[in-house]
Amino acid sequence: QVQLVESGGGLVQAGGSLRLSCTASGRTLSRIALGWFRQAPGKEREFVAGTGWIDASTYYADSVKGRFTISRDNAKNTVYLQMNSLKSEDTAVYYCAGDPRPFPSTEVFGYNYWGQGTQLTVSS
């Protein structure tokens, strides 16, 4: 079993930057596809970014492409989400997810492991 713990959320002004971290325990992340999702109040959880392990490919939702960057450090068993040029519509609870598949899914049901979430609030 894999336990995922997110950190790094908080309050930031529009246009600012923040980096989220997600550290795993129980299993190495080196053969785990990883994703970041977010859920705003009253909305469904949506895919933000993902990275596979077979070729370190990365995928992004159109809404964050060019602003967010997902990366992993297998030595630290951690995945990051660097968020730049933040907008008020980025406000949400951000979740880290993992699954032992080679490529990340953009769907919630594509992941077996989930963190508890970390809140990001972007003030305009």
Side-chain angles (χ1 to χ4, degrees):
Q1 189 69 352
V2 176
Q3 291 79 42
L4 301 173
V5 179
E6 303 96 335
S7 60
L11 175 65
V12 64
Q13 287 189 332
S17 299
L18 205 65
R19 188 178 77 163
L20 304 181
S21 301
C22 173
T23 300
S25 60
R27 179 174 176 173
T28 177
L29 291 183
S30 61
R31 289 181 177 264
I32 299 285
L34 297 162
W36 285 97
F37 286 72
R38 67 187 181 187
Q39 188 166 18
K43 295 188 176 181
E44 293 187 352
R45 194 169 298 188
E46 64 174 3
F47 173 79
V48 174
T51 180
W53 60 264
I54 204 165
D55 61 358
S57 52
T58 56
Y59 305 85
Y60 298 94
D62 288 342
S63 58
V64 306
K65 202 171 293 183
R67 300 188 298 122
F68 290 11
T69 302
I70 186 171
S71 62
R72 66 164 77 206
D73 186 336
N74 288 337
K76 295 183 178 180
N77 234 26
T78 299
V79 60
Y80 303 97
L81 185 67
Q82 177 66 44
M83 305 179 292
N84 299 327
S85 302
L86 284 163
K87 305 175 182 180
S88 57
E89 51 262 44
D90 295 319
T91 295
V93 177
Y94 282 72
Y95 297 90
C96 172
D99 193 82
R101 55 167 66 220
F103 300 103
S105 172
T106 60
E107 303 292 340
V108 170
F109 59 72
Y111 294 86
N112 278 307
Y113 316 125
W114 289 88
Q116 83 290 348
T118 185
Q119 175 72 46
L120 168 68
T121 302
V122 182
S123 63
S124 57

